[in-house]
Amino acid sequence: GEVTCRDPFDMKHLRKCMSTEIETIKKAGLIPTASHIGLFNDLLTKYGSSHDENELHKTIRQFSEMATLQGDFFLCRKKSMEDVARWLIEIPLPAPEKFMLALSPINEGCQRSKNVLLRYVQKYVNGEVPGLHRTMRPKAATSFDHLTNLCNIYQEIDLFLWLHGKFPSNAVEQISALSMKQDTINFINDALHKA
């Protein structure tokens, strides 16, 4: 095949990359879909190797053990998925939906992100409208700590929008979140320009 660049300036770099020997991949990362995990969970139940359906973290661990038997595969984001799955033990959702939540773009070490996820899911499950918490309202940064907080708010709003995309609720809340996300970006950019 042929390869080219839009900018002639990039041709030198392209030629260098094309002449480089491709390294052999030693391990391949796997990430199952929600339907894979649902089917796997059903098979575990059917053949008696199962545990409580609410213990998705154990299903993920067993899937990882079986998927990596040859040693040249690994389960991507395994720890993160297991952590989020543990948070969801008491949430009455089927395994595929819980697994979808375990794939969310969340920093599992951040309590505020965990709160956003759990608050959204709990309201969704209860038939309520998941909304943005008042602590997620951005304000202009006046210090480095405020700028850091704006970055956290951005991640929380982004998580909220991801959740809304996977588990839709109210369009008004989505529009509000999109507006707040843009305000947050503007406040971050203003703070960086002033720094």
Side-chain angles (χ1 to χ4, degrees), residues 5 8 43 58 63 85 102 110 116 131-132 143 189:
C5 297
L43 291 171
K58 292 181 180 177
F63 186 92
C110 175
V116 169
L132 299 162
S143 69
N189 288 333

Side-chain angles (χ1 to χ4, degrees), residues 2 23 30 32 48 53-54 65 135 149 172 177:
E2 294 183 24
E23 291 183 34
L30 303 172
E53 184 179 333
N54 290 331
E65 289 168 4
T135 59
N149 188 51
V172 173

Side-chain angles (χ1 to χ4, degrees), residues 79-97:
K79 182 185 178 325
S80 172
M81 289 187 294
E82 284 180 346
D83 288 346
V84 174
R86 277 189 200 92
W87 302 344
L88 302 171
I89 286 176
E90 300 300 321
I91 304 292
L93 285 172
E97 289 184 12

